[in-house]
Amino acid sequence: MASVPALKRSESVVDTMPEALRQSRYHMKRCFAKYVEKGKRLMKANNLMDEMEKVIDDHTERKQVLEGFGYILCTTKEAAVVPPYVALAIRPNPGFWEFVKVNANDLSVDSITAKEYLKFKETIVDEKWANDENALEIDFGAMDFSIPHLTLPSSIGNGIGCVSKFLASKLNGGSGSAQPLVDYLLSLNHQGEKLMINETINTASKLQSALIRADADLSLLRKDTPCQSFELRLKEWGFEKGWGDTAERVQETMRSLSEVLQAPDPLNLEKFFGRLPTVFNVVLFSVHGYFGQSDVLGLPDTGGQVVYVLDQVVALEEELLLRIKQQGLNVKPQILVVTRLIPDAKGTKCNQELEPINNTKHSHILRVPFRTENGVLPQWISRFDIYPYLERYAQDAFNKIMELMEGKPNLILGNYTDGNLVASLMASKLGTTLGTIAHALEKTKYEDSDIKWKELDPKYHFSCQFTADLIAMNTADFVITSTYQEIAGSKDRPGQYESHAAFTMPGLYRVVSGTNVFDPKFNIASPGADQSVYFPHTEKQKRLAQFRPAIEELLFSKAENDEHIGYLEDKKKPIIFSMARLDVVKNIAGLTKWYGKNKSLRNLVNLVVVGAFFDPSKSKDREEAAEIKKMHMLIEKYQLRGQIRWIVAQTDRNRNSELYRTIADTRGAFVQPALYEAFGLTVIEAMNCGLPTFATNQGGPAEIIVDGVSGFHIDPNRGDESSNKIADFFQKCKDNPEYWNRISAQGLQRIHECYTWKIYANKVLNIGCIYSFWRQMNIDQKQAKQRYIQTFYNLQFRSLAKNVAVRIGETPKQKITE
Ligand code: UDP
Ligand code: LCN
């Protein structure tokens, strides 16, 4: 590929492109003629560059052409060729898109809208539909008339910071502008018992005076005076419980509000809202299962989401208990994780309705079954086939939650497409603040999944999934993501949410505005790994010695059985280790191939992988069976026995943590080779254990790891380069053992600074508190949008879900008919 000279940042591509084309008119004409030569087609950036190289084979001439055209070419993500036009989708910066069409005959350039670009794409696959003036067009942006948006790509993901600023300026707007805040405070209660203030102080000026009076009074008290001893006096002035547990804390909260009323500033506002007693009851949806506390990981579809949700509950409950205590309240928080009850639970507890969550005092898993007209569905079904059950599930779950919870939830959090959809239905019904968490939006995992939806739908039902995702992301009051890239990608790669801004499913609908990454609803709160489980290998006194014999057997015995195949001839070599569900995207087979091909890597280290099991005929998962076969094939092809150990999926996280540490004892490394990884919990688990980590540069891990400092990035699409990078590391460690220690320590430092559950829980609850008020401030717009969403749900989602076969027992049944 030709190297592209330094980029020139231009104001607008459409302004600079004609000149760039004019400068090398001869070559550009040949180049565009080449692009249109094969007729209608969709081209990616690399195709455009490859074909240009074919046309201009002289290196110096190509360099000259790229001086003008290089910037445009390397910011173009895609081109829809419909001769004589080549329509380009150009992304100069995260979140910013420009669309142009170039006439290959005369090189004229015109700016086009997203809609026009999408029509070009549609023309490639379904010209009739593309030209249908009444084709369904979805435009959520049309409903965003009053909510302010961020402006800079660097602010994306810091929604709470921006919302605080917007709120500060709204509350600053002169007489009466603080009244919504007073009304909001008046509405706060727990099970009907008023909190913060009562009707005695129902205006901003009355509130301000009362605060001044209370401040003077509180100053006379010792700082640690418990709130119970002055509660009654405060009540006389109109103050209810919730301000703090001691005189000092009450005074601090009151001063913070006084300042907000006098001259609102964003930082103080955020601090004040973080102290408000608004969240006690939380419902989390994580529907598809298997969702359990033991023996579920490694089962199909059951990966990081379960780990994330369980750790999240522990962290949220801990933070809630702390806040409630500091608010001076005697309230028991309740957290319910609502998932699917699977009667055929395969030895797990997924058939148990209610289960207390370990390491919490008040949190439970509530399991509600999928029901159809034929009764309860007994078996697990893939997350891709789940859509026809969700509406009824939402109703059943609603009834159960209301039965169990003392009062309405104050916060609903959805997880993944299915959980987010159910959470949206429930939040709309209850008028509760909603946060959604995607974990992984499926759309970007599969190339051209929108334009090819008809081809992929029988297998993946993306039409349902993308519709559900659009509904959830537009219903949500806030969206939690694990990384920036999840929202807006990187310089080169569009983000997962960003890819929902404009896309098309020809024959179904065209989305001209599905989401906007500059919406302040997007917030980054990265998860952590449970540090009582995943701790550094150097903390010898904490090491879980009870697992040592089993791990020794797992890694080093020569036997091949149902638990492990392959063996390690030279036990002294460091181990490179990987653990994941065995699906295509995780690319464990890719890693095995890289290792098989790379002689020097094979000389330096052994390979251990954990995932799935060995008999493909036992897998119920479409992709998993194929990957299992591929692993067997690679072991044979590269004659890996003696250097590889393949271990079946592991379900005990404590033992797994000791496995990571044992690999660290060999001075090995963790390798996460995924073709794409939304976040990658294994990456932070390994880093927490002090294991140097190589992880994919495609997705979240690129952000978690600072390349060459806290670990390394590898490119899953360049296997040889990646395996050489790993080999270089081990060679370097051989020459200088200190190098291994340095990378290990820097990985741990990175974790402590950015990826812990404590940081997460504090941030998410602050977000929950402030967005509850923000949604109230924008309620008219919210309700208008909700009507649009409801129509979309009713007319689109419902009928799409009906096209997915429902199952009875083990056999798929025909589609549901009305
Ligand atoms: N995991 C496990 N056993 C396995 C494979 C994975 O316990 O055989 C765990 C792993 O430790 C991590 C989670 O499952 O906690 C996988 O999360 P990640 O974010 O890496 O990927 P996901 O599966 O969610 O895509
Ligand atoms: C789903 C994924 O694919 C992973 O990348 C994440 O780490 C996991 O969920 C937890 O959010």
Side-chain angles (χ1 to χ4, degrees):
M1 200 183 249
S3 65
V4 175
L7 300 183
K8 280 190 258 163
R9 173 72 184 98
S10 62
E11 281 302 296
S12 154
V13 170
V14 75
D15 296 336
T16 52
M17 197 165 169
E19 176 58 20
L21 294 177
R22 198 195 54 75
Q23 277 171 12
S24 320
R25 193 168 170 82
Y26 167 73
H27 287 305
M28 286 288 96
K29 274 204 91 165
R30 288 178 60 224
C31 203
F32 275 87
K34 177 94 185 151
Y35 294 158
V36 294
E37 166 189 282
K38 290 193 186 132
K40 289 191 286 187
R41 62 181 168 143
L42 199 60
M43 296 178 77
K44 300 292 168 191
N46 58 333
N47 310 133
L48 293 169
M49 187 64 101
D50 289 350
E51 297 206 354
M52 170 190 237
E53 285 179 8
K54 278 185 204 145
V55 172
I56 317 169
D57 49 10
D58 180 86
H59 180 73
T60 323
E61 285 180 9
R62 198 160 60 220
K63 211 168 153 215
Q64 265 169 10
V65 170
L66 286 174
E67 302 240 305
F69 194 54
Y71 174 70
I72 293 159
L73 206 55
C74 63
T75 50
T76 296
K77 294 293 146 226
E78 194 182 73
V81 181
V82 180
Y85 293 108
V86 178
L88 303 176
I90 301 165
R91 181 178 176 268
N93 265 311
F96 286 109
W97 290 80
E98 280 187 57
F99 303 96
V100 294
K101 67 173 186 200
V102 181
N103 185 327
N105 295 335
D106 59 10
L107 295 188
S108 59
V109 181
D110 290 299
S111 174
I112 54 175
T113 60
K115 171 180 171 158
E116 285 163 331
Y117 176 74
L118 293 175
K119 284 179 106 176
F120 271 104
K121 269 179 91 167
E122 291 152 7
T123 305
I124 298 169
V125 292
D126 186 347
E127 187 156 2
K128 190 161 171 265
W129 191 81
N131 291 324
D132 178 352
E133 280 185 16
N134 295 311
L136 178 60
E137 214 164 87
I138 305 300
D139 184 359
F140 285 102
M143 302 282 129
D144 280 341
F145 34 83
S146 65
I147 293 203
H149 284 83
L150 325 176
T151 44
L152 296 174
S154 57
S155 321
I156 292 173
N158 179 24
I160 188 170
C162 298
V163 162
S164 313
K165 282 188 200 140
F166 300 143
L167 279 175
S169 71
K170 271 204 163 184
L171 296 175
N172 234 340
S175 121
S177 60
Q179 193 57 35
L181 176 58
V182 180
D183 293 341
Y184 182 68
L185 294 176
L186 280 168
S187 73
L188 297 182
N189 73 88
H190 178 251
Q191 292 176 1
E193 190 188 340
K194 276 202 154 302
L195 296 170
M196 300 304 281
I197 56 172
N198 60 40
E199 287 297 332
T200 321
I201 35 184
N202 58 3
T203 64
S205 61
K206 284 190 204 164
L207 179 56
Q208 248 163 338
S209 318
L211 286 168
I212 293 168
R213 202 152 15 127
D215 186 69
D217 233 50
L218 287 164
S219 299
L220 303 175
L221 299 176
R222 272 175 53 123
K223 286 182 172 177
D224 58 356
T225 311
C227 60
Q228 291 76 8
S229 59
F230 53 86
E231 230 162 54
L232 282 176
R233 194 162 163 66
L234 286 184
K235 197 175 169 89
E236 278 170 29
W237 298 334
F239 293 109
E240 299 287 339
K241 291 179 185 169
W243 291 90
D245 55 342
T246 60
E248 183 183 25
R249 191 145 180 113
V250 171
Q251 195 173 31
E252 263 176 31
T253 315
M254 288 189 166
R255 283 185 178 170
S256 175
L257 176 59
S258 277
E259 281 171 32
V260 167
L261 291 173
Q262 276 165 34
D265 80 277
L267 283 181
N268 199 25
L269 208 73
E270 205 176 315
K271 178 176 161 204
F272 174 69
F273 273 95
R275 286 187 168 207
L276 282 184
T278 38
V279 181
F280 305 106
N281 293 345
V282 185
V283 174
L284 287 113
F285 286 97
S286 176
V287 177
H288 55 254
Y290 296 89
F291 192 101
Q293 301 188 76
S294 53
D295 302 326
V296 297
L297 290 176
L299 293 179
D301 284 356
T302 311
Q305 187 183 324
V306 174
V307 177
Y308 178 117
V309 174
L310 287 172
D311 285 351
Q312 176 196 35
V313 171
V314 176
L316 284 179
E317 193 194 273
E318 210 168 283
E319 186 65 28
L320 274 179
L321 285 169
L322 175 69
R323 287 182 181 211
I324 290 169
K325 187 196 151 291
Q326 290 177 336
Q327 284 153 359
L329 298 174
N330 185 16
V331 167
K332 184 174 70 124
Q334 267 191 301
I335 305 184
L336 278 183
V337 176
V338 186
T339 186
R340 187 190 155 203
L341 186 147
I342 307 175
D344 183 3
K346 305 266 181 266
T348 68
K349 286 193 181 159
C350 296
N351 54 359
Q352 191 175 311
E353 184 178 85
L354 204 62
E355 187 188 347
I357 296 181
N358 300 337
N359 306 319
T360 68
K361 293 197 178 103
H362 313 286
S363 304
H364 290 82
I365 300 172
L366 167 66
R367 297 195 182 86
V368 178
F370 278 174
R371 283 193 301 135
T372 67
E373 58 196 27
N374 302 301
V376 166
L377 188 76
Q379 77 277 28
W380 170 87
I381 51 161
S382 156
R383 68 191 192 280
F384 294 120
D385 302 333
I386 209 168
Y387 301 100
Y389 310 95
L390 294 180
E391 183 167 314
R392 180 145 186 192
Y393 179 83
Q395 284 156 8
D396 293 347
F398 174 80
N399 296 335
K400 271 281 164 202
I401 293 166
M402 288 303 143
E403 223 176 278
L404 281 172
M405 261 200 172
E406 295 152 9
K408 273 186 1 177
N410 316 103
L411 182 62
I412 295 179
L413 294 173
N415 291 277
Y416 194 69
T417 308
D418 45 30
N420 287 336
L421 184 76
V422 174
S424 307
L425 294 174
M426 193 152 309
S428 310
K429 187 162 170 162
L430 289 169
T432 305
T433 307
L434 170 71
T436 58
I437 304 167
H439 295 281
L441 287 165
E442 231 55 60
K443 187 168 169 292
T444 34
K445 279 195 195 169
Y446 302 79
E447 189 163 75
D448 297 329
S449 53
D450 53 349
I451 197 94
K452 290 188 184 153
W453 74 277
K454 275 193 184 153
E455 191 183 307
L456 295 167
D457 231 41
K459 199 167 167 195
Y460 295 109
H461 304 300
F462 284 149
S463 60
C464 287
Q465 182 148 26
F466 301 167
T467 307
D469 283 332
L470 284 175
I471 289 170
M473 56 185 89
N474 281 289
T475 310
D477 296 295
F478 61 89
V479 174
I480 297 292
T481 72
S482 299
T483 56
Y484 178 96
Q485 70 77 35
E486 191 178 334
I487 313 170
S490 55
K491 205 170 110 299
D492 302 323
R493 187 186 176 115
Q496 294 179 52
Y497 282 96
E498 188 182 356
S499 83
H500 291 74
F503 68 97
T504 184
M505 293 194 274
L508 190 60
Y509 58 76
R510 170 188 310 131
V511 180
V512 293
S513 165
T515 191
N516 183 342
V517 296
F518 292 94
D519 191 314
K521 69 168 61 172
F522 288 103
N523 280 286
I524 305 165
S526 309
D530 183 339
Q531 290 176 322
S532 65
V533 176
Y534 302 99
F535 53 83
H537 71 117
T538 44
E539 292 185 11
K540 297 277 184 233
Q541 72 295 353
K542 279 169 74 182
R543 293 284 295 261
L544 310 174
Q546 69 272 29
F547 295 123
R548 222 163 269 161
I551 289 177
E552 186 70 21
E553 200 280 333
L554 211 54
L555 291 174
F556 299 116
S557 84
K558 212 161 174 181
E560 298 204 5
N561 53 32
D562 288 349
E563 283 279 297
H564 41 72
I565 60 173
Y567 65 95
L568 307 181
E569 186 70 62
D570 181 353
K571 301 187 172 68
K572 292 207 185 69
K573 276 187 191 167
I575 290 173
I576 55 170
F577 173 53
S578 200
M579 173 165 73
R581 293 178 291 114
L582 225 62
D583 62 30
V584 176
V585 180
K586 292 289 180 191
N587 199 29
I588 296 291
L591 171 63
T592 309
K593 186 173 170 187
W594 304 347
Y595 178 75
K597 281 174 69 185
N598 190 323
K599 280 215 178 72
S600 54
L601 186 62
R602 285 175 71 166
N603 282 336
L604 285 161
V605 295
N606 289 316
L607 172 64
V608 172
V609 294
V610 168
F613 41 83
F614 314 129
D615 181 356
S617 66
K618 287 202 184 128
S619 177
K620 285 197 180 146
D621 190 80
R622 289 175 278 239
E623 278 182 25
E624 192 183 59
E627 286 299 292
I628 295 173
K629 283 189 198 152
K630 204 164 166 193
M631 284 294 291
H632 287 295
M633 182 277 287
L634 290 166
I635 292 174
E636 289 316 313
K637 179 170 176 191
Y638 293 104
Q639 311 238 314
L640 292 177
R641 277 196 167 68
Q643 291 184 301
I644 191 175
R645 181 68 139 191
W646 176 9
I647 300 169
V648 289
Q650 295 296 301
T651 55
D652 181 337
R653 64 185 341 210
N654 287 303
R655 197 168 90 161
N656 286 351
S657 72
E658 203 44 41
L659 185 55
Y660 284 114
R661 286 187 289 267
T662 310
I663 306 287
D665 294 338
T666 74
R667 303 183 73 77
F670 186 75
V671 185
Q672 213 287 15
L675 300 177
Y676 182 76
E677 185 63 62
F679 181 67
L681 287 178
T682 51
V683 172
I684 55 170
E685 290 166 0
M687 288 166 77
N688 265 291
C689 293
L691 194 52
T693 299
F694 290 79
T696 178
N697 63 2
Q698 303 294 312
E703 218 164 297
I704 302 173
I705 290 173
V706 180
D707 189 30
V709 179
S710 39
F712 300 92
H713 295 165
I714 46 174
D715 187 340
N717 302 311
R718 295 168 188 256
D720 293 343
E721 183 188 299
S722 297
S723 65
N724 284 335
K725 192 165 177 179
I726 303 172
D728 286 350
F729 169 77
F730 282 102
Q731 191 55 53
K732 227 169 159 179
C733 293
K734 221 172 169 181
D735 302 341
N736 170 19
E738 261 316 296
Y739 186 55
W740 191 95
N741 294 341
R742 177 145 64 85
I743 298 294
S744 162
Q746 287 169 181
L748 272 162
Q749 190 186 340
R750 175 86 178 149
I751 292 290
H752 293 308
E753 281 166 8
C754 308
Y755 300 99
T756 72
W757 281 113
K758 174 82 192 149
I759 303 174
Y760 174 96
N762 183 46
K763 189 156 186 193
V764 169
L765 285 180
N766 283 350
I767 291 169
C769 292
I770 209 158
Y771 282 77
S772 296
F773 179 53
W774 178 241
R775 94 189 281 282
Q776 218 43 53
M777 293 283 277
N778 297 295
I779 199 73
D780 291 344
Q781 165 159 340
K782 180 140 190 91
Q783 282 167 352
K785 196 166 188 177
Q786 206 48 46
R787 301 305 295 170
Y788 186 67
I789 294 171
Q790 218 165 19
T791 310
F792 189 45
Y793 175 84
N794 203 302
L795 298 179
Q796 276 296 311
F797 180 79
R798 271 185 158 176
S799 57
L800 290 167
K802 277 186 191 137
N803 286 331
V804 180
V806 277
R807 297 178 77 98
I808 336 169
E810 288 300 315
T811 44
K813 200 198 158 210
Q814 72 287 352
K815 297 162 187 176
I816 305 178
T817 46
E818 285 196 87

